[in-house]
Amino acid sequence: MSLFRVWQITQFELTRLFATKRGLLALAAFAMVWFMIFKYLIAEAVPFLSGPMFKDIARQVAGGIGFQELISWPEAEFAIYWVISLYCFPLFSLFVSSDQTVGDRQRGTLRFLSLRSTRDEILLGRYLGQLLIVAILIVSTVLATLLIMSYRDPALFSNGLLLGLKLSIQLTLISMPFIALMAFLNIVTSSSRLSIVMAILLFTLGSAVIAYFAHYIPFIDVLFYAFPGEQIADVAGQKNTSFIDWLLPVIQSVGWLFISIVALRKRAL
């Protein structure tokens, strides 16, 4: 495997998003969605969390759902950002990475690419490209949150910078297996739309089926660990998280990528 060719394919994924009309339109839509989130959710909720009249109420509500640690953060913007991003970015990752190889396979260009690169290089390059795109978008929203928070209270900038770096890494780790799952679904389905449908069925019907059989055969519970995002509820409160919680998405990503590589090697292009 040539790392140079993998990096070239990764760069091409960045070019498709940041240097094409279609990609720039998608970025504009992403920016508008986050503008609405910042304006109507984060900016409106911060006075509620910080205000003396509502602080006790917010603390009691947050304690009831396990978010007590977040309420204690002076960087209230980041507390709200974390809760929103924790569920938005995994879902966003499914959509943004829904066309890693299936579109090229339909058009026949994947066969052309395989003349100059191995199938493993194409798959890993596309995966790393999508992961880098998601990471860049995460960092951009973190920086926007940092600017909003610093405008409210400039004294929080230095601590907010470190907290923003930590949240960026955590959100990128959480998003990794979702992109790897889409890499696999791109191989076993015939379109990007069908890949998204399969992902939705996997997270809804698939988890329900496993839960049903686990009622009779308890050890089947272990299959839940193959689902990306299995640890999200454990890390949401940012308290008592373990190293395993952050290692699990890496293991899931490696597992889904390994299955994807095996499937792509056997698949006719």
Side-chain angles (χ1 to χ4, degrees):
M1 178 181 294
S2 168
L3 294 180
F4 176 71
R5 285 198 292 269
V6 171
W7 175 240
Q8 281 188 316
I9 295 170
T10 302
Q11 285 181 307
F12 179 70
E13 289 300 292
L14 297 178
T15 302
R16 284 208 301 182
L17 181 66
F18 295 105
T20 65
K21 187 176 179 181
R22 184 180 177 184
L24 291 176
L25 282 174
L27 282 177
F30 175 83
M32 287 308 299
V33 169
W34 273 96
F35 174 77
M36 302 295 279
I37 291 174
F38 286 129
K39 182 175 176 60
Y40 295 108
L41 292 180
I42 295 179
E44 294 292 333
V46 167
F48 175 78
L49 293 179
S50 305
M53 290 181 62
F54 303 107
K55 200 162 188 175
D56 290 339
I57 299 174
R59 194 179 296 278
Q60 290 175 8
V61 172
I65 57 178
F67 289 168
Q68 183 72 28
E69 179 72 16
L70 299 181
I71 293 296
S72 66
W73 286 3
E75 304 87 357
E77 287 84 355
F78 272 121
I80 303 168
Y81 169 81
W82 167 251
V83 174
I84 295 172
S85 300
L86 190 59
Y87 296 97
C88 282
F89 272 109
L91 185 61
F92 174 75
S93 299
L94 290 179
F95 284 95
V96 78
S97 62
S98 64
D99 187 12
Q100 294 183 48
T101 55
V102 67
D104 282 314
R105 201 176 71 241
Q106 284 180 317
R107 293 187 293 270
T109 49
L110 193 60
R111 188 180 300 172
F112 172 75
L113 291 173
S114 66
L115 297 176
R116 299 175 179 273
S117 307
T118 66
R119 299 185 183 194
D120 298 356
E121 290 167 353
I122 295 171
L123 189 139
L124 288 178
R126 291 286 168 86
Y127 171 78
L128 291 175
Q130 297 300 324
L131 179 60
L132 197 53
I133 287 170
V134 171
I136 291 171
L137 295 178
I138 288 172
V139 170
S140 65
T141 55
V142 164
L143 289 175
T145 308
L146 182 64
L147 289 175
I148 294 172
M149 185 196 68
S150 300
Y151 178 77
R152 177 178 64 86
D153 188 352
L156 295 174
F157 178 80
S158 57
N159 288 336
L161 189 62
L162 294 175
L163 182 58
L165 177 62
K166 173 188 167 186
L167 297 185
S168 299
I169 295 171
Q170 291 178 341
L171 287 171
T172 303
L173 281 172
I174 289 171
S175 301
M176 284 174 61
F178 289 89
I179 302 171
L181 171 66
M182 293 310 289
F184 172 72
L185 293 179
N186 264 220
I187 297 168
V188 298
T189 60
S190 58
S191 69
S192 60
R193 187 176 301 176
L194 191 56
S195 296
I196 294 174
V197 172
M198 290 294 291
I200 293 172
L201 289 176
L202 180 67
F203 283 105
T204 54
L205 186 60
S207 60
V209 169
I210 292 175
Y212 174 78
F213 284 106
H215 182 70
Y216 300 98
I217 311 173
F219 69 84
I220 288 183
D221 273 349
V222 74
L223 292 177
F224 280 118
Y225 287 101
F227 284 75
E230 175 64 18
Q231 84 293 357
I232 283 181
D234 297 330
V235 303
Q238 286 281 346
K239 187 177 182 181
N240 298 327
T241 58
S242 66
F243 177 70
I244 297 298
D245 290 329
W246 303 112
L247 182 62
L248 181 61
V250 177
I251 295 173
Q252 290 172 333
S253 302
V254 173
W256 282 112
L257 284 176
F258 176 75
I259 296 172
S260 303
I261 287 172
V262 173
L264 186 59
R265 285 177 180 176
K266 295 181 179 180
R267 171 106 191 184
L269 301 182

